[in-house]
Amino acid sequence: MMVLCFLSRALPRARHSPSPLGRQLCSAGANKPVLTLFTKKPCPLCDEAKEVLEPYKRRFILQEVDITLPENSAWYEKYKYDIPVFHLNGKFLMKHRVDTRKFEDRLRKVELQSDGNQ
C-alpha cells in the first residue's frame, strides 16, 4: 500500500480507499515531503546515502527509482553516471553524496512551506 502514497495520481484514491490501513498509511505521509532516490543495483554509494539519511527518515517519504527498469529509461540516460541522485518534491537536490547541511536546509524550507499551507 505504501507505493500508492508515492504516486500522486493514486493518492486521492488511497485516501478514500475502503481499507482503513490504506487511508491511515497515505494520510500519515500526505503532508511529508517526498525524497526521490534515483538508484540501481548494486549501488554502494546509494546504500551509504540512505544510512546518512536514517536520522531524518520520519520527516520525509523515500521513493526509490531504479533507473535500470525499462519504464525509467529517461532517468537512466540522465543519471547513469551520477547515482545516487536525489530530488526533493520533484526538484533536483544533490548527487553522488549526501550534503547534510544542504539537505537539512531544503527539508526545513519545504516543511515550513507545508505548514504555512495548512
Side-chain angles (χ1 to χ4, degrees):
M1 281 194 203
M2 287 302 284
V3 173
L4 289 175
C5 297
F6 297 140
L7 303 173
S8 60
R9 286 178 280 143
L11 185 56
R13 286 183 295 209
R15 277 198 205 134
H16 302 291
S17 163
S19 161
L21 181 59
R23 285 194 306 272
Q24 182 181 9
L25 289 172
C26 290
S27 63
N31 296 324
K32 289 184 182 180
V34 176
L35 183 68
T36 305
L37 165 60
F38 295 91
T39 186
K40 65 180 179 179
K41 300 269 191 250
C43 179
L45 287 177
C46 300
D47 297 336
E48 180 183 311
K50 287 191 281 187
E51 286 180 28
V52 172
L53 293 170
E54 185 71 20
Y56 306 96
K57 70 180 183 180
R58 285 187 164 77
R59 294 173 58 191
F60 62 86
I61 296 169
L62 180 64
Q63 174 186 15
E64 294 188 40
V65 175
D66 183 338
I67 63 171
T68 63
L69 296 177
E71 63 267 25
N72 297 326
S73 60
W75 294 118
Y76 179 80
E77 289 304 315
K78 187 168 185 167
Y79 293 139
K80 62 185 166 190
Y81 301 119
D82 290 318
I83 62 167
V85 176
F86 292 92
H87 287 194
L88 185 59
N89 281 356
K91 295 180 183 176
F92 175 82
L93 177 61
M94 57 193 162
K95 63 182 178 180
H96 302 156
R97 300 207 181 270
V98 174
D99 177 339
T100 53
R101 180 173 286 162
K102 182 177 187 177
F103 176 71
E104 287 178 13
D105 182 55
R106 286 278 300 277
L107 183 60
R108 194 173 309 114
K109 287 178 183 175
V110 168
E111 289 171 337
L112 289 173
Q113 287 174 348
S114 179
D115 288 346
N117 293 332
Q118 291 182 9

